[in-house]
Amino acid sequence: MTLDELREHAAELDRNDPLTQFRDRFCIPRHTDGTEVAYLCGNSLGLAPKAARATVGQELVAWENLGVEGHFKHERPWVSFHELFATHLAQIVGAKPYEVVAMNTLTVNLHLMLTSFYRPNSRRFKVLVGHTAFPSDRYAIASQIALRGYSPDEAIVTAKPLAASRVLRTEDVVELIEQHAGELALVLMDGVNYYTGELIDIAAITESAHRHGIVAGFDLAHAAGNVPLALHDWNADFAVWCHYKYLNGGPGCVAGCFVHEHHGLAREPLPRMAGWWGHDKHSRFGMGPEFEPIPGAEGWQLSNPPLFSLAALLPALELFAESGMDRLRAKSEALTGFLEHALRELFPEWVEIITPSEPARRGCQLSVRVKRDAKSAFASLVANGVICDWREPDVIRLAPVPLYNQFADVVRVAEVLSCAK
Ligand SMILES: Cc1ncc(COP(=O)(O)O)c(C=O)c1O
């Protein structure tokens, strides 16, 4: 395939893209030469929806005009503002609305979940994590293990790829669960791994963990808004995710949390770190001394949420409701497949794609190992308006996002790499 053929094909695919109007709903940053960048970094920080400025502005105006009365007298009262997210989030992660909540940030939510779900005893105190788990998750787990009086070195079981591959396959994780079944208290896996881009089979891992009485929790930072999820049906015990990547809620945005109804609606509430925003809504302002959790995920809230961050997230999630996960996934598979095809055809000796090839085993991100001059290839991409990111020692992550990327962005990658090789 030549670059010209790639250009032609991309132009045709962009012309026929049923989601093309969504790109106009985002602010696309500009390169120094004035052109729109090829933004392939939505796996790190999603772009700003144009509507975010207005919704944040409305809340600022409400604050200016109403002061404290905004909590109750505003047309979208702040006291219940977070409830506006339940339906959207339930659709995005495949849950019942009362199983999800927008609160805190990802690592905070992970600690809250570990406090409730990691219940070690002298026989079962181990936690299974992936070898490329995000460092913050590992720190959280190690600190929780130490807080319960166990040794992180002894208690953390790290799942490594068994085959001669860089990717941790679902089968490898299931095999390790079988091996350590009697000692594991918890399995914590990424839905989509941040380094390799691999999508694991959440249902299979949960089923295998549950068969041995082990809790299954998931970090969906790279999965939420990227791949279709069905957390309720898959029986996941809990999950946490952020909203600033594929969900475009803005830097440091309020995060998400899922607690399966088996736990959230249990007759005997799970032990937890409690705060007043998780207290029964009807008696919260009675200011009584006893904590009575709201049934469902909302019962894990601690504080009244940062309103401006929630306000920016609202139009972002509305775009997902409008486009629908099925249509997004269809375009995502086509776009990522197009990128993969271009890289394999044009640079067969130079790059190795470590993300699995099967669409069912990945989201939109491709992790590309560059076999020589990797750093300068990355520098050329950035210098020529391709925004992507670098992971040591030699991996470039490229994430074409179906909501705002176009097939022409893939062409830009190919053009730059053709000059750099
Ligand atoms: C997979 C994963 N987990 C956890 C985190 C930490 O997120 P936060 O800083 O929002 O707690 C990140 C951040 O990028 C991440 O990619």
Side-chain angles (χ1 to χ4, degrees), residues 44 86 122 254 411:
S44 184
S122 54
V254 173
V411 175

Side-chain angles (χ1 to χ4, degrees), residues 178-324:
E178 298 293 330
Q179 270 172 30
H180 293 269
E183 311 161 319
L184 285 171
L186 175 76
V187 173
L188 183 80
M189 295 299 300
D190 296 328
V192 171
N193 183 264
Y194 85 97
Y195 191 92
T196 64
E198 187 190 14
L199 165 62
I200 51 145
D201 184 339
I202 293 177
I205 288 176
T206 302
E207 199 272 319
S208 154
H210 284 180
R211 206 163 347 107
H212 299 289
I214 303 163
V215 171
F218 297 90
D219 176 342
L220 303 180
H222 288 261
N226 179 14
V227 292
L229 297 164
L231 295 181
H232 176 85
D233 290 346
W234 295 339
N235 266 326
D237 293 298
F238 71 86
V240 292
W241 62 92
C242 57
H243 290 128
Y244 47 75
K245 296 178 187 292
Y246 295 106
L247 292 160
N248 310 308
C253 182
V254 173
C257 186
F258 163 89
V259 179
H260 199 283
E261 69 178 10
H262 295 152
H263 309 293
L265 301 187
R267 194 184 294 262
E268 193 59 43
L270 285 188
R272 70 194 69 192
M273 309 255 263
W276 77 314
W277 223 252
H279 183 92
D280 175 44
K281 292 173 200 178
H282 306 105
S283 59
R284 183 190 289 144
F285 290 97
M287 304 298 198
E290 297 298 329
F291 176 67
E292 290 164 31
I294 305 168
E298 276 185 274
W300 270 265
Q301 293 172 105
L302 297 176
S303 308
N304 75 98
L307 225 290
F308 302 127
S309 175
L310 282 181
L313 179 60
L314 195 55
L317 295 191
E318 283 166 357
L319 286 175
F320 275 82
E322 223 183 290
S323 57

Side-chain angles (χ1 to χ4, degrees), residues 83 241 341 405:
E83 293 171 18
W241 62 92
H341 182 65
N405 281 117

Side-chain angles (χ1 to χ4, degrees), residues 331-344:
K331 176 171 170 190
S332 176
E333 288 185 8
L335 196 51
T336 299
F338 189 66
L339 174 62
E340 180 183 32
H341 182 65
L343 293 174
R344 283 199 203 287

